[in-house]
Structures are given as C-alpha cells and as structure tokens.
Amino acid sequence: QVQLQQWGAGLLKPSETLSLTCAVYGGSFSGYYWSWIRQPPGKGLEWIGEINDSGRTNYSPSLKSRVTISPDTSENQFSLKLSSVTAADTAMYYCARGRGKVVPAAEIDLWGQGTVVTVSS
Amino acid sequence: QSALTQPASVSGSPGQSITISCTGTISDIGGYNYVSWYQQHPGKAPKLMIYDVTNRPSGVSDRFSGSKSDNTASLTISGLQAEDEADYYCSSYTSITTDLHVIFGGGTRLTVL
C-alpha cells in the first residue's frame, strides 16, 4: 500500500524559507505528478504546485515567484521550498499524488498526513 | 485567481439527497471536463470522491455522483448517511494563465440532521 510521509519545520519567522519533504513508500515515484497543497486554519484548499520524476514542474501562478519543488528520485522523495514567508502562509501543508493523465492535479488520489506550519514573529 | 464558488453549507436528513454546486467560468469548469470533488472529515486529509466531472474512484460509494452544466458543476449525494457529514471541495483545471494548474472551491460544510 502506497503511503506518503512528510516532515519539516513547523514554526517559522516572517521572511524565512519554508522547507518540507515528502517520501513515497511502497510504490513507484515515476509515472505520477507529486503535488503540494495547503489549507489555512478554518479555510479551503489551495494547490501550490507539482513535479514529476523528470523534474518537470507546474506552479500556481499566485505563488510561482516564491515556490520551488524538487525531486529526489534516488530516495523517492520530493520537497517544497517557499521563500519569504508571512503570516498568510500559516497553514496545514499536504503532499499528495496526482494521477490525472492530462491534468495530473485534477485527480489527487493519495495524501500525506499533513504538516502544520505557523509563521509568527 | 478567484476560487470556485460553493455554498458555505448545506444540510439534509438521513436518506435524503442533497446537491452541492460549484460555479466557475468558461476558463475552468465551463471549458474543461477536469472537475473533481473531495470529501474532508475534521482533522483528516481530503479524499477524492469524483474526478473528470462524473467518474468515481474505486471504493467510493455509488451514492456519490457528479455532473456539470455550463459553468457549474454539481455533486449529488443520495441516501444521506451520518458518515457523509464533512466538508466538500470542488476543484477544476483552469486556463486563466498559461501555467497548467488547478483551483479549488471555498468548500461546503454538509450537515446530516
């Protein structure tokens, strides 16, 4: 059974860089796109971006200037970096698998457990 | 870009049917058949319930169905059960920019009375 396990720093100060990693256990890293999605407290979901095993990325236009998603195929992992964070970036961050054939993120079928990230001075 | 528009809340009694709407534009829901629906129970990660407007992943009850008309997608849950009480989110591919990406609705809280 494929599982995603994620980790990273949970408390940041404004202007710092958020860094999270997600590992894929029990399944193939190739053949899918791997997404990051966030959810501010009490609010809805926001798609951040995705990457495949070849390193091809797609990002949300609203976050594109601050986001980097990278793969580590040797470890079956991928990571998220979000620079210059503010309080507005406080959220639960999920890693996830997209399996849509044309729009991978249109079919997110597997989710990590989530990581709470708080930005506060 | 703006999120898709969903009602904040809907409710129904056990056994009844309810429908949750998700309104977008011609650049997203109206132009493409890449609409998905997710169910999220409190403190849990979302779960895919519908993809490509009408398709159910393996293991999802056939009480859940999806449809689309013009710029509005809908999720219908028939034979409501207590376990259906959750938040529901729609998502859609959008071509509002050249970046390939998806947007979500604001979410709908379903209460089973």
Side-chain angles (χ1 to χ4, degrees):
Chain A
Q1 183 178 356
V2 184
Q3 292 185 331
L4 302 181
Q5 186 164 355
Q6 57 182 103
W7 63 89
L11 181 60
L12 297 172
K13 290 182 167 50
S15 80
E16 292 184 335
T17 295
L18 178 158
S19 181
L20 299 174
T21 300
C22 181
V24 182
Y25 294 110
S28 174
F29 190 77
S30 61
Y32 298 95
Y33 271 76
W34 303 92
S35 281
W36 289 97
I37 296 164
R38 70 182 183 179
Q39 185 171 32
K43 296 188 178 180
L45 301 167
E46 180 181 18
W47 183 78
I48 298 169
E50 65 186 359
I51 194 165
N52 69 358
D53 58 315
S54 300
R56 179 170 179 173
T57 55
N58 295 301
Y59 295 131
S60 167
S62 63
L63 294 170
K64 190 175 183 178
S65 63
R66 297 194 292 132
V67 173
T68 302
I69 299 177
S70 306
D72 182 347
T73 55
S74 65
E75 296 287 338
N76 269 19
Q77 297 176 0
F78 62 106
S79 63
L80 168 70
K81 291 191 187 301
L82 179 66
S83 63
S84 305
V85 297
T86 69
D89 295 310
T90 294
M92 175 75 83
Y93 284 75
Y94 293 101
C95 62
R97 184 178 74 179
R99 68 177 196 185
K101 291 179 174 54
V102 177
V103 182
E107 205 174 320
I108 303 288
D109 71 331
L110 185 66
W111 298 70
Q113 80 276 19
T115 299
V116 175
V117 175
T118 302
V119 180
S120 175
S121 55
Chain B
Q1 61 281 10
S2 300
L4 305 172
T5 301
Q6 300 180 231
S9 63
V10 298
S11 62
S13 299
Q16 288 186 331
S17 294
I18 64 94
T19 297
I20 299 172
S21 63
C22 173
T23 302
T25 69
I26 190 65
S27 296
D28 39 69
I29 292 176
Y32 307 92
N33 289 324
Y34 299 119
V35 178
S36 305
W37 290 91
Y38 297 88
Q39 175 192 66
Q40 185 179 35
H41 287 109
K44 301 293 187 181
K47 174 186 176 183
L48 180 66
M49 306 301 285
I50 297 288
Y51 66 96
D52 293 351
V53 180
T54 61
N55 294 332
R56 275 189 312 276
S58 174
V60 172
S61 171
D62 60 4
R63 297 187 298 105
F64 291 83
S65 62
S67 62
K68 188 185 84 167
S69 177
D70 296 327
N71 297 337
T72 298
S74 298
L75 173 70
T76 298
I77 308 174
S78 59
L80 267 182
Q81 299 179 1
E83 68 210 45
D84 299 332
E85 185 162 292
D87 293 327
Y88 291 84
Y89 294 92
C90 60
S91 80
S92 174
Y93 166 74
T94 176
S95 63
I96 197 70
T97 71
T98 56
D99 302 289
L100 192 157
H101 65 287
V102 299
I103 53 175
F104 284 92
T108 298
R109 172 69 54 87
L110 168 62
T111 301
V112 180
L113 302 171

